[in-house]
Amino acid sequence: MMLLANCGAFHRIKAPRETYSRVVHGQPLTVGAGLITTSPGRFRQRSETLWQIPLILELSHPEWDSSFFSQSTRYVNLVKMNKPKMATEKGVPSNSRVLMLLGQLEKMNGDSMGRDAETARQVTAKILHLIQTQERSGKEVMSKGSSGMEVILASLENFQDLQTTLNILYILSELLTVGRGRRVGVFVSKGGTGILFQLLITASKELPPSEELMLQLHSLLAKVGPKDRKFGVKSRLSGALNITVNIMKQNLQNAKLLLPCLQVLRVYSTNSVNAISLGKNGVVELMLKIVAPYSKKNTSLHKVALDALGALLKSKANARRAVDGGHVPVLLLLYLDWHRNDTRHRHMLIRKGLLVCLRNITNIKLGRKAFVEGDGMRILYNTSTECLPVRTLDPLVNTSSLIMRKCFPKNRLPLPTIKSVFHHPLPHIPPAGPVAQLYNQPPGVDDVVDESDDNDETEGDTENDTENEEDEKYQRSLNDDIETDLNKLHPKKSPSRPLEELRVYERFFLELSEDFQEYNFECSKSASTPLSSSLSLSASSTRCTRPIVVPTAQALPPKHCPISSSQEDCKPTKRQQTQQSQSAPTSTPPAPLTPLELDTIHLTKDQDKKGKAPIPSWDRHTALSSLTRPASLGQKVEQELVHVLECVSLEEEGMLNSEAEIRGVSQEGSPVHATRHIQSPLLLGGISTRRVGGGGSNWGSDCGSEGAEDEGGEGAVLEVPDTARLLALHDPDLYVEMVKGTQSVPQYAEVAYPDYFGHVAPTFREPLLERIYGVQRSKIFQDIERLIHPNDIIDKVVYDLDISSCPVIEDDGESLKFNSQFESGNLRKAIQVRKYEYDLVLNSDINSNHYHQWFYFEVSGMRVGSTYRFNIINCEKSNSQFNYGMQVLMYSVQEAISGRPCWVRTGMDICYYKNHFARSSIAAGGQKGKSYYTLTFSISFNHKDDVCYFAYHYPYTYSTLKFLSLYPQMHLSKLEDSRTPQIYLRQDVLCETLGGNSCPLLTITAMPESNSNDHICQFRNRPLIFLSARVHPGETNASWVMKGTLEFLMGTSPLAASLREAYIFKIVPMLNPDGVVNGNHRCSLSGEDLNRQWQNPNPELHPTIFHTKSLLQYLAHIQRAPLVFCDYHGHSRKKNVFMYGCSMKETIWQSNTSATSSDLQEDLGYRALPKILSQIAPVFSMASCSFVVERSKESTARVVVWREIGVQRSYTMESTLCGCDQGKYKGLQISTRELEEMGAQFCVALLRLKRLTGLRNHQHLLDLESDLIGTQSKVVSSCPTTYVMEEDEPSFLEAIDYSAESNDEDAEPENEQGSEVHEIPDHLDQVSDSESNHRV
């Protein structure tokens, strides 16, 4: 006969009568003594109805017969009726011996009269033996549904016998040691902690208390305490706190009992109230008695005592008590003793415990003072230096570094004031805000430092775990910033300004009313230049106007006109400006410029070279005129342009120095008939230089040896390379003339060589810099050495803009020379710290006391082969891409002379960290205790007597924008392809800025095919695209992206022609010219962030924003709101290029705001453009895009244009300053080539968007997606996030001592590390591919 269970397979085995077993799903099924049981396991779930299982018995033993089977079956049927109490509900075996013993114990608990001490001892001893010897016994007691723990705890409460109590404690100790996490949780949930405390109090009343009982009780409490959140409160309320302390005081020599007491005390101290109470009870001093000098004995005791002491010292009261008791020097000596004797590093945890105690004490001012007075800086510096070679000792080094940095005396910035060196008077002061506070500040107030900088608060600059805490706080703040007011999410229904007030802006939209009746299309097509343009120049005033357009890359370079040796003296550097500040700004927009026909413009070399023609420049007072112009005007403009190319000088004739002489040297074979030698006051030692037309570049020359023959001579000159061969439509001397018309607050009289020569994007790849382990730590140690070895510090000021008469301080040639007195330059002060190390201080934005990030300065006088370290010491952002592979940019004049005029990524040992320079609460917006951050990098120069420039990002000046505006007409005149479509190009001056500079407005589209009604109607009804850039001066990458956009629009490709035929482009390429000119990072001359003024711009303080918004308001009034509005920006803390848009539905969904169905009805077209970009642009990341509206961004261009103008596709396009982590550019730093490429790809995306917007039903978007994207689509994330809060960067192996609480002032929501990426419901991503996006 065979015994089978219909619930699983089995293995047939022979066994004695008592135990017949087989394995069912890996668990034994036992048949014996008439009882069928299963041990806990997978079969347990089915054993509840075990008595119903049909059975067949195979008699493999003579004694197993049918009678036995009948008896067994009857017994099984009785299981259900006679189920013991201790059996669990889910199959714990009812005949388990441990459960039967627990059943006996339970009966004894219920019968107070039958509690026999001896029996209780025997039962508990048997239970202990079973648990110790059989693992399954412990599992049975702790299994789900078992009442074993309740029985044990009830017995612990009821039995007074010492041995029984000890047995039960031993049982609990065994149970809680295995599977500690869950079992301890069960113990706490059953009230076990309170029972132990009550037992501890009862046992303490006995004299003397049982040592073994106290030992076991504290051992259990040490295991339970970390899992019980209310452990500290329970211990204090029950009175157990003092009992433990008293036991410790009485048993200081009893290490066996002292150890568990210290373990419990460590848990007690995590409660701040307990810590204060214990401190008052003298426990801090008690711990210091236990901690002893180096010894190989009782090391565990020392470790636990230090842990408890460290927890106690987190309390400021206890930290003060330790300082008052003179314990700081004691701890320092103990640490030094353990460091010296622990040569094999076996007791690192004890050394770390001592450092943790010091770290907590130094969180208060008195502790830091005592630490410094106790020579703690020197002790930790020396010991840490000795630990550096051993990688396993990094925790000691990192903690020591943290303590030293914290205790490093807080220094004030070496400045007389944190206000900008330069000041520009405002028409009126805003009634409130940071500018008003700046102007209302009483005289004589020290705004550099205040008492708050040395407060008792910790600065949140701790170890790795602190960064995660800061991330969590930042994520919460991001969620709190989401707009939840539905009224602010709905578009404004009533216009803010009447149409009559906005009609003045009609003059900027001539294309919407132009009929072209006077324009001869046939004549234009047969002319030498087939492209017509409505670009306007005016010769009616002394200042000729000209367009501001970035030239197309496909254009041929202009012919360089011969330059006579009889020209006036000219030098490209240290030139005085000839134009003064313009008239005061006005809120009335100027009239647009007059259209001009360019067919008659031809540059020749036969023009009169004697006269000095004025360079064309914008005129905001030009009147409107007809579209066509007589040929004589074209000849006059041509004549002016030729003279411009022949004669450029930034200095007036009377201000020229005798040192700058023009030396004519003939050059055989050169198309330029004369060569000029230009003295270079910026170069040391003399570099023999010449301008050689049509060549002269020597890519393989050794620039380091050039000029050696002329070293020290006064006749040193600079060779101006023929950059026209490398840069289309670039002329250095013409750029100099552009600088004449640029108005700056400092009245700059110099031109930076990179802007003069131009920039060619390097052909080689520049990968993200791999961070070297320990580089930040080594830099911090070098900073600490300043305090340890003050005699090694030079502390010599070599450049200071606060000394306006002579910022460049002359010396004996042992120091570098610095300069930033040129357009967009920013460096306020340079201090030589060591022979090859310099601290650099950046200038605040004008009319502001902060915003330190953008830098652009010149360095000369370097030595080849020496490594220089530069520290920019007043950075404000708490995080930077410099910690994630970004490098600074350098431009070498020697390299430019050799034919390589380009900015290159450079620098090694780059890191960004919090420093010891205090940031006053005035500068921090009222926040106290803030510090500045240091950007440090090292560089070795390759050329002797070089002049190098360093910049935060690729510079793009306002004069560069003006300079490039000259070339559209020349570009158009050079095109000979008669099939090239005609271009409608007009440049207007939108307004004048506070500083007297013009803000350009470009209109670009295609000319109509003819002046027929159909063609004119099609011309006027083209959708509008409105683009803007550079509202933040420091985001120069936005200008490079805009350059790529403009070059594409002016290009000759069929795509460019189609794009012009599809749209009318309105472009403001530089919204903040004043900020760009004066080297600001974020603000205009009003001292305010212009991208926070779009709600209520002031026409006097924010003219560019006021008039740009007025243009959009006018378009909204005439029902011609743009199809797309995009503001180009740069992002300093994220990689790739991405967009921020506006969606009411996604904002509501993200904020969990209740809304009606009408609120959730939204066209998904806002996702189309970024989706297209993610497929065609390798640098674009859809995963980084966000469409959530935040409260803090409600006054930005993106949100205001979306809400007030009603533009659904209103975007901010952010370009990284660092590089990419996806696509074909993954792992590379971004260059101007990729930025310009992004600008061109944006245009291609607009062309594809045109096809999408032609559809009435957006449900067809998915069907057309593959057709629009093509076969080169890339696979991206499965859930594009709308509001990502995940940090782009991985954590480093070493601690990064900066927080991540702040994002860019205009930056949209940041990705922060460690957070969940929120998924988007399917109905919100209907325009996405069926294959979802993800970041590579």
Side-chain angles (χ1 to χ4, degrees):
M1 190 176 294
M2 177 181 289
L3 177 64
L4 292 175
N6 63 356
C7 54
F10 66 93
H11 294 283
R12 185 184 310 165
I13 61 173
K14 294 183 179 181
R17 177 176 182 177
E18 290 73 22
T19 57
Y20 175 69
S21 302
R22 59 185 173 138
V23 179
V24 181
H25 288 303
Q27 301 296 333
L29 176 65
T30 303
V31 180
L35 177 64
I36 300 178
T37 63
T38 60
S39 59
R42 296 178 60 183
F43 189 71
R44 181 183 57 203
Q45 299 176 353
R46 306 183 183 183
S47 61
E48 293 175 321
T49 58
L50 186 61
W51 47 86
Q52 300 175 1
I53 296 175
L55 301 175
I56 303 175
L57 184 63
E58 179 184 29
L59 296 178
S60 57
H61 192 280
E63 297 180 6
W64 285 13
D65 53 11
S66 57
S67 61
F68 171 78
F69 171 72
S70 302
Q71 182 182 0
S72 299
T73 304
R74 288 194 299 273
Y75 197 101
V76 169
N77 290 329
L78 292 175
V79 170
K80 186 173 181 181
M81 296 180 292
N82 300 321
K83 189 176 179 182
K85 290 184 179 180
M86 288 307 305
T88 65
E89 297 177 1
K90 294 187 178 181
V92 173
S94 57
N95 70 335
S96 170
R97 187 176 179 188
V98 70
L99 294 184
M100 287 190 292
L101 291 172
L102 286 173
Q104 295 181 25
L105 201 59
E106 184 179 22
K107 291 181 181 178
M108 297 174 66
N109 286 332
D111 185 8
S112 58
M113 300 296 296
R115 291 178 189 168
D116 179 54
E118 186 62 29
T119 304
R121 290 176 197 166
Q122 293 177 1
V123 171
T124 54
K126 291 179 181 179
I127 294 173
L128 176 61
H129 176 72
L130 287 173
I131 292 176
Q132 288 176 337
T133 57
Q134 299 180 13
E135 182 179 349
R136 65 170 188 167
S137 297
K139 292 180 179 180
E140 291 169 0
V141 175
M142 298 301 301
S143 62
K144 291 182 180 180
S146 171
S147 58
M149 181 59 71
E150 289 92 330
V151 173
I152 293 172
L153 291 177
S155 302
L156 191 61
E157 282 186 293
N158 296 329
F159 291 104
Q160 305 298 324
D161 179 64
L162 177 61
Q163 189 58 49
T164 302
T165 302
L166 287 173
N167 288 343
I168 295 175
L169 292 178
Y170 295 146
I171 292 170
L172 289 173
S173 181
E174 291 290 336
L175 290 174
L176 301 183
T177 300
V178 180
R180 183 174 177 181
R182 188 189 68 83
R183 293 188 178 185
V184 172
V186 172
F187 177 85
V188 172
S189 65
K190 303 296 184 182
T193 307
I195 294 173
L196 291 180
F197 281 138
Q198 188 60 42
L199 184 60
L200 178 64
I201 295 171
T202 303
S204 65
K205 296 178 180 179
E206 298 180 5
L207 295 177
S210 169
E211 179 180 328
E212 182 64 18
L213 181 59
M214 290 298 178
L215 178 64
Q216 293 303 320
L217 280 172
H218 282 91
S219 297
L220 272 176
L221 288 171
K223 292 179 181 179
V224 171
K227 295 292 183 179
D228 190 345
R229 295 183 178 181
K230 297 183 179 181
F231 187 81
V233 177
K234 293 176 182 178
S235 65
R236 184 174 65 255
L237 296 180
S238 65
L241 206 63
N242 294 328
I243 294 174
T244 301
V245 173
N246 292 332
I247 293 174
M248 290 172 56
K249 290 179 179 179
Q250 298 169 7
N251 295 272
L252 287 177
Q253 304 303 321
N254 187 350
K256 183 179 178 181
L257 178 58
L258 191 58
L259 180 60
C261 291
L262 286 172
Q263 292 172 337
V264 176
L265 185 70
R266 178 176 56 187
V267 185
Y268 287 162
S269 303
T270 56
N271 181 284
S272 58
V273 178
N274 286 354
I276 295 174
S277 176
L278 291 170
K280 293 179 180 178
N281 205 5
V283 178
V284 173
E285 292 77 7
L286 182 63
M287 292 297 101
L288 288 168
K289 291 180 180 179
I290 298 173
V291 178
Y294 176 79
S295 172
K296 294 182 180 180
K297 297 180 180 179
N298 298 326
T299 54
S300 298
L301 195 67
H302 288 90
K303 169 63 177 60
V304 177
L306 286 171
D307 289 345
L309 180 60
L312 288 169
L313 292 175
K314 286 184 178 180
S315 164
K316 292 181 183 179
N318 290 338
R320 293 190 191 97
R321 192 170 286 108
V323 173
D324 294 339
H327 300 313
V328 175
V330 174
L331 289 172
L332 286 169
L333 292 176
L334 283 172
Y335 178 75
L336 186 60
D337 180 65
W338 279 90
H339 170 79
R340 289 173 176 172
N341 291 283
D342 186 23
T343 55
R344 296 190 178 183
H345 313 302
R346 293 180 176 176
H347 306 298
M348 190 184 72
L349 293 178
I350 294 178
R351 294 156 67 182
K352 177 69 180 295
L354 287 164
L355 289 175
V356 169
C357 294
L358 290 170
R359 184 192 66 186
N360 293 339
I361 290 177
T362 53
N363 282 338
I364 64 173
K365 180 179 178 180
L366 288 175
R368 294 191 288 271
K369 182 179 178 181
F371 177 85
V372 174
E373 292 177 350
D375 203 21
M377 295 293 287
R378 187 180 301 276
I379 292 174
L380 291 195
Y381 175 80
N382 292 336
T383 55
S384 299
T385 304
E386 295 172 5
C387 291
L388 283 175
V390 183
R391 185 73 173 267
T392 56
L393 298 182
D394 279 356
L396 302 182
V397 178
N398 292 336
T399 308
S400 298
S401 171
L402 185 70
I403 296 170
M404 288 187 286
R405 291 179 60 196
K406 192 188 307 182
C407 296
F408 201 108
K410 287 291 183 182
N411 294 346
R412 61 177 289 146
L413 281 177
L415 298 174
T417 176
I418 55 174
K419 297 177 185 176
S420 174
V421 174
F422 310 116
H423 174 74
H424 182 79
L426 299 178
H428 66 270
I429 308 301
V435 179
Q437 296 175 3
L438 195 70
Y439 274 83
N440 294 330
Q441 184 175 308
V445 173
D446 185 359
D447 61 353
V448 180
V449 71
D450 54 31
E451 294 180 358
S452 68
D453 295 318
D454 200 16
N455 63 1
D456 286 349
E457 297 293 335
T458 59
E459 297 173 358
D461 185 18
T462 57
E463 297 178 279
N464 295 335
D465 54 347
T466 303
E467 187 177 353
N468 295 332
E469 292 170 5
E470 294 294 339
D471 288 343
E472 292 173 3
K473 293 177 183 177
Y474 176 59
Q475 292 158 19
R476 288 194 295 268
S477 68
L478 285 178
N479 289 323
D480 293 341
D481 191 37
I482 299 175
E483 183 60 71
T484 56
D485 187 350
L486 296 182
N487 294 325
K488 293 184 178 181
L489 294 176
H490 286 290
K492 277 191 174 181
K493 297 182 180 180
S494 58
S496 56
R497 297 174 65 185
L499 181 59
E500 292 73 18
E501 184 180 334
L502 295 170
R503 284 196 184 276
V504 67
Y505 294 94
E506 185 178 3
R507 66 186 67 178
F508 294 103
F509 299 96
L510 297 179
E511 65 278 1
L512 301 182
S513 58
E514 180 62 63
D515 56 11
F516 295 94
Q517 295 304 314
E518 298 181 6
Y519 188 80
N520 190 335
F521 286 88
E522 295 299 325
C523 178
S524 173
K525 292 179 181 179
S526 62
S528 59
T529 304
L531 304 183
S532 297
S533 173
S534 58
L535 178 143
S536 56
L537 294 174
S538 172
S540 60
S541 64
T542 57
R543 292 178 58 193
C544 297
T545 57
R546 66 196 183 288
I548 302 179
V549 176
V550 180
T552 175
Q554 295 87 348
L556 296 173
K559 294 180 181 179
H560 282 263
C561 302
I563 302 176
S564 172
S565 59
S566 62
Q567 290 176 351
E568 294 181 8
D569 293 353
C570 178
K571 64 178 182 178
T573 59
K574 307 241 180 221
R575 303 170 174 86
Q576 300 295 325
Q577 290 185 345
T578 58
Q579 297 187 9
Q580 302 300 322
S581 178
Q582 302 296 318
S583 57
T586 175
S587 61
T588 304
L593 305 179
T594 309
L596 172 67
E597 201 171 36
L598 298 171
D599 299 283
T600 57
I601 297 181
H602 300 281
L603 296 180
T604 69
K605 300 180 181 180
D606 302 326
Q607 300 294 334
D608 182 13
K609 302 180 182 68
K610 295 181 181 180
K612 187 176 181 179
I615 192 72
S617 59
W618 297 317
D619 187 0
R620 58 189 301 274
H621 305 293
T622 305
L624 288 170
S625 62
S626 61
L627 181 64
T628 59
R629 280 305 194 197
S632 59
L633 177 57
Q635 293 172 356
K636 184 172 182 180
V637 174
E638 172 191 344
Q639 203 173 40
E640 291 174 351
L641 289 173
V642 172
H643 286 307
V644 165
L645 292 171
E646 289 181 339
C647 182
V648 288
S649 175
L650 184 58
E651 292 188 335
E652 296 184 33
E653 186 175 352
M655 303 180 68
L656 290 175
N657 296 325
S658 60
E659 296 177 350
E661 298 179 356
I662 304 299
R663 304 178 181 183
V665 179
S666 62
Q667 178 77 14
E668 278 190 0
S670 173
V672 179
H673 302 305
T675 309
R676 296 166 299 154
H677 294 263
I678 306 171
Q679 236 186 1
S680 173
L682 298 185
L683 295 181
L684 295 178
I687 299 177
S688 179
T689 58
R690 301 167 303 190
R691 172 164 186 145
V692 182
S697 298
N698 186 1
W699 288 75
S701 64
D702 184 5
C703 298
S705 60
E706 279 192 46
E709 296 177 1
D710 298 329
E711 187 171 352
E714 294 182 358
V717 292
L718 172 68
E719 179 181 357
V720 181
D722 184 17
T723 54
R725 297 192 62 187
L726 301 172
L727 290 169
L729 307 178
H730 179 81
D731 185 273
D733 296 334
L734 187 55
Y735 176 83
V736 171
E737 280 298 316
M738 292 300 97
V739 181
K740 281 186 177 182
T742 300
Q743 307 301 318
S744 62
V745 173
Q747 297 184 352
Y748 291 129
E750 303 174 18
V751 175
Y753 285 121
D755 306 323
Y756 178 75
F757 289 153
H759 161 72
V760 179
T763 57
F764 51 87
R765 292 188 168 189
E766 297 176 298
L768 293 169
L769 182 67
E770 184 177 352
R771 185 182 177 101
I772 301 174
Y773 181 84
V775 61
Q776 174 180 295
R777 185 173 59 198
S778 64
K779 297 299 181 182
I780 292 172
F781 275 22
Q782 291 177 24
D783 293 345
I784 294 170
E785 285 178 4
R786 301 186 188 188
L787 187 66
I788 305 298
H789 307 293
N791 295 332
D792 297 341
I793 304 304
I794 299 175
D795 201 23
K796 176 184 178 182
V797 178
V798 296
Y799 181 75
D800 192 355
L801 280 182
D802 288 289
I803 307 175
S804 56
S805 59
C806 184
V808 181
I809 300 172
E810 298 294 335
D811 63 353
D812 54 1
E814 293 296 324
S815 304
L816 294 176
K817 292 183 180 297
F818 293 84
N819 183 32
S820 63
Q821 297 182 91
F822 45 79
E823 186 176 350
S824 296
N826 191 318
L827 177 66
R828 180 170 183 170
K829 195 170 188 175
I831 304 170
Q832 186 176 14
V833 180
R834 299 181 178 95
K835 185 175 182 179
Y836 297 114
E837 183 178 354
Y838 294 82
D839 281 353
L840 309 179
V841 183
L842 303 180
N843 191 27
S844 305
D845 287 2
I846 294 177
N847 280 323
S848 173
N849 57 12
H850 57 303
Y851 297 119
H852 306 103
Q853 186 166 341
W854 168 257
F855 57 86
Y856 183 17
F857 58 88
E858 168 199 304
V859 177
S860 60
M862 63 283 293
R863 295 183 179 181
V864 178
S866 299
T867 300
Y868 292 85
R869 176 185 171 185
F870 298 102
N871 310 308
I872 299 176
I873 61 175
N874 63 331
C875 301
E876 295 173 340
K877 290 183 179 293
S878 60
N879 198 347
S880 172
Q881 284 290 316
F882 284 114
N883 273 327
Y884 299 100
M886 188 168 83
Q887 294 176 281
V888 298
L889 284 153
M890 187 183 78
Y891 190 105
S892 167
V893 175
Q894 287 276 21
E895 290 289 322
I897 293 171
S898 301
R900 296 180 287 275
C902 59
W903 287 95
V904 295
R905 300 279 186 172
T906 189
M908 51 189 176
D909 295 344
I910 300 176
C911 57
Y912 187 94
Y913 57 89
K914 186 180 289 186
N915 61 32
H916 57 274
F917 289 102
R919 190 177 175 195
S920 72
S921 58
I922 297 175
Q927 299 183 61
K928 298 182 178 182
K930 294 293 182 179
S931 296
Y932 286 102
Y933 290 77
T934 290
L935 163 62
T936 180
F937 61 95
S938 300
I939 183 71
S940 294
F941 298 99
N942 297 325
H943 305 297
K944 182 181 179 182
D945 298 331
D946 200 358
V947 177
C948 293
Y949 290 79
F950 292 93
Y952 180 68
H953 198 67
Y954 300 96
Y956 194 103
T957 64
Y958 174 67
S959 295
T960 298
L961 187 66
K962 293 199 305 177
F963 160 69
L964 293 174
S965 69
L966 279 179
Y967 283 100
Q969 58 265 47
M970 291 192 291
H971 167 50
L972 295 173
S973 68
K974 295 295 180 181
L975 295 175
E976 298 176 359
D977 185 359
S978 60
R979 294 171 296 176
T980 302
Q982 296 174 320
I983 300 177
Y984 181 100
L985 170 67
R986 191 178 72 251
Q987 185 269 313
D988 300 318
V989 177
L990 178 62
C991 63
E992 192 172 83
T993 64
L994 283 175
N997 294 298
S998 299
C999 180
L1001 170 66
L1002 299 177
T1003 303
I1004 301 175
T1005 187
M1007 291 286 287
E1009 294 184 20
S1010 70
N1011 54 11
S1012 66
N1013 288 337
D1014 290 343
H1015 289 154
I1016 296 300
C1017 182
Q1018 189 277 339
F1019 175 84
R1020 293 178 180 175
N1021 290 321
R1022 293 170 184 167
L1024 277 85
I1025 305 292
F1026 204 108
L1027 307 178
S1028 62
R1030 207 66 185 281
V1031 70
H1032 295 139
E1035 296 169 5
T1036 58
N1037 48 356
S1039 284
W1040 288 102
V1041 176
M1042 179 60 76
K1043 180 176 183 289
T1045 296
L1046 292 172
E1047 285 184 348
F1048 185 91
L1049 286 174
M1050 294 300 298
T1052 60
S1053 68
L1055 284 177
S1058 300
L1059 186 64
R1060 292 191 294 267
E1061 293 171 357
Y1063 299 110
I1064 296 173
F1065 286 86
K1066 288 291 185 180
I1067 301 174
V1068 184
M1070 194 170 283
L1071 279 168
N1072 192 353
D1074 288 343
V1076 173
V1077 169
N1078 294 285
N1080 285 5
H1081 171 64
R1082 193 143 193 108
C1083 301
S1084 68
L1085 292 185
S1086 67
E1088 297 169 295
D1089 182 350
L1090 290 182
N1091 203 37
R1092 293 295 187 275
Q1093 312 303 324
W1094 278 81
Q1095 275 189 324
N1096 297 295
N1098 186 288
E1100 293 182 321
L1101 295 178
H1102 326 115
T1104 60
I1105 304 301
F1106 179 83
H1107 294 300
T1108 303
K1109 183 179 180 181
S1110 298
L1111 293 177
L1112 293 163
Q1113 289 173 323
Y1114 172 75
L1115 290 173
H1117 265 291
I1118 64 173
Q1119 307 299 314
R1120 292 299 302 274
L1123 176 69
V1124 173
F1125 171 85
C1126 190
D1127 192 19
Y1128 291 3
H1129 282 255
H1131 205 291
S1132 67
R1133 293 183 60 195
K1134 293 175 70 175
K1135 290 183 170 64
N1136 309 315
V1137 179
F1138 48 93
M1139 276 182 163
Y1140 295 115
C1142 300
S1143 166
M1144 180 169 63
K1145 179 185 293 186
E1146 296 193 30
T1147 304
I1148 293 173
W1149 171 79
Q1150 186 67 43
S1151 61
N1152 295 321
T1153 303
S1154 58
T1156 62
S1157 58
S1158 61
D1159 293 327
L1160 297 177
Q1161 293 179 358
E1162 185 176 42
D1163 187 354
L1164 297 177
Y1166 64 89
R1167 275 184 165 264
L1169 183 58
K1171 178 64 181 178
I1172 295 171
L1173 282 171
S1174 71
Q1175 304 294 345
I1176 66 175
V1179 299
F1180 193 89
S1181 170
M1182 186 69 184
S1184 296
C1185 295
S1186 171
F1187 304 95
V1188 174
V1189 180
E1190 308 89 348
R1191 296 188 185 98
S1192 61
K1193 307 297 188 300
E1194 63 181 1
S1195 58
T1196 60
R1198 166 178 64 97
V1199 178
V1200 171
V1201 173
W1202 171 71
R1203 184 169 179 249
E1204 297 186 18
I1205 309 301
V1207 179
Q1208 182 198 30
R1209 297 176 179 88
S1210 180
Y1211 305 105
T1212 297
M1213 187 164 73
E1214 300 275 359
S1215 301
T1216 179
L1217 293 163
C1218 177
C1220 301
D1221 58 10
Q1222 65 169 31
K1224 68 177 183 180
Y1225 300 128
K1226 181 178 181 180
L1228 299 178
Q1229 297 185 74
I1230 202 162
S1231 71
T1232 56
R1233 179 178 289 106
E1234 288 78 55
L1235 292 170
E1236 292 182 56
E1237 179 187 90
M1238 183 65 229
Q1241 287 161 340
F1242 181 81
C1243 294
V1244 176
L1246 289 174
L1247 193 57
R1248 297 187 174 186
L1249 180 68
K1250 176 67 175 177
R1251 299 173 63 183
L1252 285 179
T1253 54
L1255 301 175
R1256 294 183 178 180
N1257 187 355
H1258 279 290
Q1259 294 299 325
H1260 296 297
L1261 291 179
L1262 283 174
D1263 300 332
L1264 279 180
E1265 194 73 16
S1266 59
D1267 175 54
L1268 293 177
I1269 302 308
T1271 59
Q1272 296 181 351
S1273 63
K1274 61 181 180 179
V1275 181
V1276 273
S1277 147
S1278 84
C1279 289
T1281 59
T1282 65
Y1283 193 67
V1284 288
M1285 293 172 289
E1286 174 189 15
E1287 183 62 38
D1288 286 342
E1289 313 303 341
S1291 58
F1292 291 118
L1293 295 178
E1294 61 175 320
I1296 303 299
D1297 292 317
Y1298 57 81
S1299 61
E1301 76 254 325
S1302 67
N1303 61 340
D1304 290 3
E1305 286 80 1
D1306 181 65
E1308 311 291 341
E1310 291 274 349
N1311 285 351
E1312 294 300 329
Q1313 187 170 5
S1315 77
E1316 250 181 278
V1317 178
H1318 298 279
E1319 296 184 357
I1320 294 196
D1322 295 336
H1323 67 279
L1324 291 180
D1325 199 25
Q1326 295 179 10
V1327 297
S1328 301
D1329 279 337
S1330 57
E1331 291 184 59
S1332 313
N1333 291 338
H1334 79 281
R1335 278 181 293 183
V1336 180

